């Protein structure tokens, strides 16, 4: 996407294409196809152009959609998956094969059977885009909402094909967030991530596209989670009386990064450091003092069994059967 400069489309060509696409019958076909692209449960696309429903302009609404869906969504998925793979397509807009637009709208089999048939909407769109590109069949103009929408047709079709390929391979435990040509693939281990990348590469090759291997990276999700916890702690440390929150943050982070520094006295005990939880000087019984030793509060076996995800049973006020 980023390899091609923005292109100003001639207004007459732009309007002609919009007019064709928004004819009631044609728009119905397009909407139905996008609905199919949303069927795979493990895929979420956040880059379909959105219209502002409040005081925000459309561009702001798109940015907000990206922030909530990709950035905040990634944080939420970090709770469920251990590993994330970042990948993107090399020169996406510049390499989109215009004939693949008809494949995306009508399936490859139908498009090939009706190649050149101007009654097929995909062929009409293909022809209009070739007019914008001096007859070229490789690449679509970059820099307009209309072309973003066309690209989403092709990339949504790629999502659909990838979903079917992964299902055939028996790969079901994953989540993919996509914003245009950028992918975040959430899995439990690197091997599963590599398997999905292989399938994605094969799907893209069929469409004349390829992944940018230089920007394809994988990382353990624990890194992201620990960084988020550190940021929360830094924010809370500016406020008074946040000891209780520190205890909960340590509960979440201990199995990921046991050496995170918390100031709360109870947190110090977890790290095997002496802490004055209460004053026992007034007690004369040696036996009672030993029993009240703060170091006895922490159960080492329980500490070793902690997981970073807090189950509802730990915080539920009532038994689940009561709800």
């Amino acid at each position: 996407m980023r390899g091609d400069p923005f292109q100003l489309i001639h207004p007459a060509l732009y309007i002609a294409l919009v007019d064709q696409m928004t004819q009631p019958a044609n728009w119905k076909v397009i909407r139905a196809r996008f609905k199919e692209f949303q069927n795979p449960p493990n895929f979420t696309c956040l880059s379909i152009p959105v219209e502002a429903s409040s005081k925000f302009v459309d561009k702001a609404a798109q940015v907000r959609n990206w922030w909530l869906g990709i950035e905040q969504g990634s944080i939420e998925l970090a709770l469920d998956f251990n590993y994330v793979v970042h990948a993107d397509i090399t020169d996406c807009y510049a390499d989109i094969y215009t004939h693949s637009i008809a494949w995306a709208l009508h399936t490859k089999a139908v498009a090939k059977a009706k190649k050149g048939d101007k009654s097929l909407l995909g062929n009409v769109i293909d022809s209009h885009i070739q007019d914008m590109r001096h007859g070229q069949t490789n690449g679509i103009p970059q820099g307009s909402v209309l072309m973003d929408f066309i690209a989403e047709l092709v990339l949504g079709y790629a999502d659909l094909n990838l979903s079917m390929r992964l299902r055939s391979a028996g790969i079901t435990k994953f989540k993919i967030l996509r914003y245009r040509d950028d992918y975040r693939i959430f899995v439990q281990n690197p091997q599963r991530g590599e398997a999905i990348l292989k399938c994605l590469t094969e799907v893209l090759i069929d469409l004349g596209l390829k992944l940018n291997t230089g920007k394809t990276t994988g990382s353990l999700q624990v890194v992201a989670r620990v960084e988020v916890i550190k940021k929360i702690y830094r924010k809370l440390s500016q406020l008074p009386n946040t000891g209780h929150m520190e205890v909960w943050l340590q509960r979440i982070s201990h199995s990921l990064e046991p050496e995170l520094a918390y100031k709360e006295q109870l947190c110090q005990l977890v790290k095997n450091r002496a802490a004055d939880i209460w004053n026992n000087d007034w007690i004369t019984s040696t036996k009672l003092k030993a029993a009240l030793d703060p170091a006895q509060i922490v159960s080492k076996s329980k500490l070793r069994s902690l997981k970073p995800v807090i189950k509802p049973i730990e915080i539920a006020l009532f038994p689940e059967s009561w709800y």
Side-chain angles (χ1 to χ4, degrees):
M1 181 191 299
R2 290 167 287 277
D4 226 22
F6 283 0
Q7 177 182 338
L8 189 62
I9 302 171
H10 193 290
L13 297 176
Y14 193 102
I15 292 171
L17 177 54
V18 171
D19 181 64
Q20 286 289 335
M21 292 175 61
T22 55
Q23 293 294 320
N26 292 341
W27 190 240
K28 184 177 180 180
V29 171
I30 292 171
R31 285 173 58 90
R33 193 57 167 155
F34 268 104
K35 190 173 182 179
E36 288 183 57
F37 295 158
Q38 295 171 12
N39 284 339
N42 295 4
F43 289 73
T44 302
C45 170
L46 282 307
S47 48
I48 297 175
V50 297
E51 181 180 6
S53 58
S54 62
K55 63 181 180 180
F56 297 107
V57 297
D58 290 350
K59 186 68 174 179
Q62 190 75 43
V63 172
R64 184 175 184 272
N65 191 51
W66 166 81
W67 170 252
L68 292 176
I70 297 294
E71 296 304 315
Q72 298 299 309
S74 294
I75 293 174
E76 292 178 12
L77 288 172
L79 298 174
D80 299 320
F81 296 94
N82 296 327
Y83 197 79
V84 60
V85 178
H86 295 261
D88 70 9
I89 300 172
T90 301
D91 298 335
C92 180
Y93 282 36
D95 286 346
I96 286 179
Y97 184 46
T98 61
H99 294 342
S100 69
I101 297 167
W103 305 349
L105 268 175
H106 313 288
T107 74
K108 194 171 185 177
V110 171
K112 283 186 172 293
K114 295 187 176 183
K115 184 178 180 181
D117 184 348
K118 294 300 181 180
S119 67
L120 200 68
L121 175 59
N123 291 339
V124 173
I125 297 174
D126 179 2
S127 179
H128 275 72
I129 291 179
Q130 287 186 51
D131 290 342
M132 298 173 186
R133 302 275 290 179
H134 308 289
Q136 295 182 41
T137 57
N138 269 19
I140 65 175
Q142 182 177 341
S144 67
V145 174
L146 176 60
M147 290 301 113
D148 291 344
F149 189 77
I150 297 296
E152 284 302 331
L153 272 174
V154 177
L155 295 173
Y157 178 59
D159 290 346
L160 201 59
N161 288 344
L162 177 58
S163 174
M164 292 186 289
R165 192 177 288 254
L166 292 176
R167 194 183 309 120
S168 297
I171 300 174
T172 58
K173 294 182 180 180
F174 67 92
K175 182 72 176 181
I176 294 178
L177 300 182
R178 180 176 64 78
Y179 191 90
R180 304 236 172 93
D181 62 345
D182 290 312
Y183 295 82
R184 293 188 187 185
I185 304 169
F186 296 84
V187 288
Q188 296 296 6
N189 55 67
Q191 294 75 27
R192 180 61 53 85
E194 288 296 327
I196 293 176
L197 276 179
K198 179 177 181 295
C199 290
L200 176 58
T201 299
E202 293 167 352
V203 166
L204 293 176
I205 286 174
D206 286 343
L207 296 173
L209 302 170
K210 58 183 179 293
L211 285 178
N212 186 339
T213 55
K215 290 188 176 181
T216 301
T217 60
S219 61
L220 287 175
Q221 285 288 68
V222 295
V223 176
R225 290 199 61 188
V226 169
E227 288 305 312
V228 170
I229 291 170
K230 286 180 179 178
K231 289 179 181 179
I232 294 173
Y233 176 66
R234 283 196 294 269
K235 190 72 173 179
L236 286 174
S237 64
Q238 302 174 34
L239 304 173
N241 304 319
T242 56
H244 188 261
M245 186 62 69
E246 286 190 37
V247 171
W248 276 106
L249 285 176
Q250 188 182 52
R251 161 65 186 87
I252 297 169
S253 67
H254 187 269
S255 61
L256 305 175
E257 182 53 75
E259 294 306 315
L260 281 182
Y262 296 101
K263 296 178 181 178
E264 167 60 35
Q265 298 284 10
L266 288 173
C267 296
Q268 294 292 315
L269 287 177
V270 172
K271 296 179 68 176
N272 293 319
R273 294 178 181 173
D276 293 326
I277 306 301
W278 47 68
N279 182 7
N280 291 335
D281 292 345
W282 58 277
I283 298 177
T284 58
S285 170
T286 305
K287 185 176 181 181
L288 183 54
K289 276 188 175 182
L292 292 173
D293 183 358
Q296 303 301 318
I297 294 175
V298 180
S299 169
K300 300 299 182 183
S301 61
K302 189 69 175 179
L303 195 61
R304 287 191 294 270
S305 69
L306 289 180
K307 303 297 182 185
V309 178
I310 298 175
K311 294 183 178 180
I313 193 171
E314 289 190 46
I315 56 175
L317 182 60
F318 301 107
E320 187 176 347
S321 61
W322 285 26
Y323 292 99

